[in-house]
Amino acid sequence: MESYRIEGGAPLSGAVRVDGAKNAALPACIASLLTDERVVLHRVPQLRDVSTILYTLGALGGRVVRHADHVSISACGSLSEEADAYSVRQMRASFLVLGPLVARLGQAVVPLPGGCAIGRRPIDLHLDGLKALGARVAEKEGAVVVTAERLRGARIELSYPSVGATEQILMAASLAKGETVIENGAVEPEVEDLARLLRKMGAEIEVVDRTYRVAGASRLRGAEHELIPDRMEAGTLLLAGAVTGGSVTVAGCRSDHLAPLLGLLESSGAGLTIDGEMVTVRGPVRPLPVDVVTAPHPGFPTDLHPPLAAYLSLAAGASSLVEAVFEGRFAYTDALCAMGARITRTGAALTIGGVESLNGRAVAATDIRGGAAMVLAGLAADGYTTVTQLEHIERGYARLEEKLVSLGARIERDDE
Ligand code: UD1
């Protein structure tokens, strides 16, 4: 069992560089299925989720070569239309292979992620989008079977700006006949990064506000693309600096992508300096309480909710944090409460009554961002914290402990 042993109380200081964005890497890898030419992606983070998607693409017949920080994928030989069940069940993002496969091969068979039923959350918007493009959708033995001789452009209004559904439809529409308009699409930086890659591959995509216009092409070409920096990793590292009352510079990031977090850090009394691709935070003695509601971009990102909760646990007063994107994102709160945080929940709303100090405990990571919250709480807590189930954290953070140690954190990794 792998675990971190964290000795809390050391203010972090120094500079650290962020990796490319996980949530940009996953759809970008999948977009390589849209062409028989080579797609080369740079700044690809070394993460379990990336390995999972590359495995899925390899199992479909793609030729994948992975280097230190770039990946080359050629979907040029004969491709299978049936995605590997194990990897789709491991990671919901694998479901995005559906659109590219049906667009390229005319048929795709992809297991239902996490066993959810067709027509209900969380894939209804994906399937309705593909149906609007003329695909026939059926369910067979726990898998979605989608067929279409040639997808046709359509006007699709999403009832919610789902990141995954927008990416699914963008990829499928890029090989459809005619124009597709997606209204109320997601405009997260990672979705826009996918649109940039698709443009390099030959798709014509325009976006104004939340409306995408895609002129489908009969074939797409290979491309080379550098992924955007990971705003969730950057945000987590800034919060680590702030929660320990330290001074941390995150290099290689996009401050415009981090705007909702930076605004909040400032309201909480942290000092901020932005210098090109570098953001420096200076943590306050104790954060001031703030009120936050998560929302689709450009709102406060749901993925930073748990690390933010760890920070606000030490505020001088009560904060309110409403999770308005994923109703089930609260598993981590028990661990923070065991460490002394005062968090109460009413529906999707948390009240985080700030405490003066947290105490080290043995806790188990519940998910990627919940695990990061526990690490942050451990860095600020009195005494030792052990965090187990690192496999969750490692799905989304590459070498997190190494980066934190380079900033002066006292973390030992136990691989037993
Ligand atoms: C992506 C990100 C994830 C982030 C989330 C929201 C990746 C790999 N993951 O996830 O880290 O937290 O965006 O920014 O990029 N929904 C439906 N029907 C659908 C699809 C979604 O009801 O067909 C609902 C979901 O249940 C959820 C909300 O929409 O409540 C947001 O989901 P979505 O934006 O699709 O997130 P993901 O693409 O899964």
Side-chain angles (χ1 to χ4, degrees):
M1 189 169 69
E2 296 157 337
S3 61
Y4 290 151
R5 187 163 192 267
I6 305 171
E7 184 186 350
L12 302 191
S13 80
V16 65
R17 188 179 157 77
V18 281
D19 284 320
K22 167 180 89 76
N23 288 351
L26 302 176
C29 289
I30 292 170
S32 67
L33 290 173
L34 292 164
T35 173
D36 58 4
E37 294 183 18
R38 195 160 62 125
V39 172
V40 179
L41 300 171
H42 295 272
R43 208 172 177 183
V44 178
Q46 302 256 9
L47 294 171
R48 284 194 189 194
D49 276 8
V50 171
S51 307
T52 304
I53 206 64
L54 294 178
Y55 173 82
T56 308
L57 297 176
L60 284 168
R63 290 181 200 159
V64 177
V65 184
R66 189 171 184 172
H67 304 269
D69 85 333
H70 73 276
V71 167
S72 140
I73 308 166
S74 304
C76 56
S78 73
L79 289 181
S80 161
E81 59 203 26
E82 207 164 327
D84 176 69
Y86 179 72
S87 65
V88 179
R89 297 217 162 96
Q90 286 255 309
M91 186 181 69
R92 234 156 58 90
S94 311
F95 191 69
L96 291 179
V97 300
L98 191 63
L101 282 180
V102 74
R104 180 95 184 272
L105 305 175
Q107 168 140 334
V109 182
V110 179
L112 286 165
C116 58
I118 276 196
R120 293 181 43 208
R121 298 173 101 186
I123 52 163
D124 52 338
L125 300 174
H126 295 239
L127 299 183
D128 290 350
L130 293 175
K131 279 186 207 159
L133 295 175
R136 291 173 298 281
V137 175
E139 186 184 346
K140 196 175 152 203
E141 293 159 14
V144 186
V145 182
V146 179
T147 43
E149 270 108 66
R150 174 93 199 264
L151 296 172
R152 284 172 190 279
R155 176 172 287 269
I156 299 166
E157 188 180 345
L158 294 176
S159 55
Y160 183 87
S162 152
V163 169
T166 306
E167 292 171 342
Q168 182 85 271
I169 299 166
L170 275 178
M171 288 193 277
S174 295
L175 274 184
K177 188 174 165 57
E179 186 185 70
T180 296
V181 178
I182 308 170
E183 283 168 7
N184 197 29
V187 290
E188 268 66 4
E190 295 76 16
V191 186
E192 297 200 327
D193 200 43
L194 173 67
R196 268 191 294 278
L197 169 62
L198 292 171
R199 278 187 208 110
K200 288 181 190 172
M201 294 170 71
E204 281 176 42
I205 302 178
E206 275 175 25
V207 54
V208 178
D209 298 326
R210 290 191 175 277
T211 302
Y212 289 86
R213 278 178 192 281
V214 186
S218 54
R219 93 177 271 281
L220 295 176
R221 54 179 180 265
E224 198 153 345
H225 182 68
E226 179 172 314
L227 301 171
I228 53 169
D230 196 314
R231 63 195 168 108
M232 304 313 170
E233 187 194 21
T236 303
L237 292 166
L238 289 171
L239 284 165
V243 77
T244 59
S247 172
V248 163
T249 299
V250 173
C253 66
R254 288 271 305 257
S255 59
D256 54 333
H257 293 172
L258 288 164
L261 173 70
L262 300 183
L264 218 111
L265 280 168
E266 238 167 6
S267 310
S268 75
L272 281 178
T273 312
I274 299 170
D275 179 8
E277 293 191 339
M278 288 197 290
V279 177
T280 302
V281 68
R282 288 170 302 283
V285 178
R286 274 186 84 182
L288 301 170
V290 291
D291 294 339
V292 195
V293 183
T294 65
H297 192 75
F300 189 86
T302 172
D303 286 356
L304 285 178
H305 141 194
L308 179 72
Y311 174 62
L312 296 178
S313 293
L314 288 162
S319 301
S320 144
L321 203 170
V322 178
E323 175 50 65
V325 179
F326 282 109
E327 64 267 321
R329 181 156 241 170
F330 300 103
Y332 74 94
T333 54
D334 287 347
L336 291 197
C337 289
M339 296 175 76
R342 279 212 317 260
I343 304 178
T344 53
R345 178 178 160 202
T346 312
L350 298 181
T351 301
I352 307 177
V355 292
E356 264 182 54
S357 59
L358 296 172
N359 303 307
R361 283 279 180 282
V363 293
T366 45
D367 55 79
I368 303 177
R369 312 298 168 187
M374 293 171 208
V375 172
L376 264 50
L379 290 171
D382 294 336
Y384 288 92
T385 296
T386 308
V387 184
T388 52
Q389 295 189 11
L390 298 188
E391 64 276 14
H392 291 296
I393 297 178
E394 289 173 350
R395 282 188 53 196
Y397 294 92
R399 300 174 288 105
L400 180 64
E401 78 282 10
E402 247 179 77
K403 290 178 181 163
L404 292 171
V405 166
S406 78
L407 297 171
R410 296 181 292 233
I411 303 184
E412 278 173 22
R413 192 197 159 97
D414 190 347
D415 281 334
E416 243 178 64

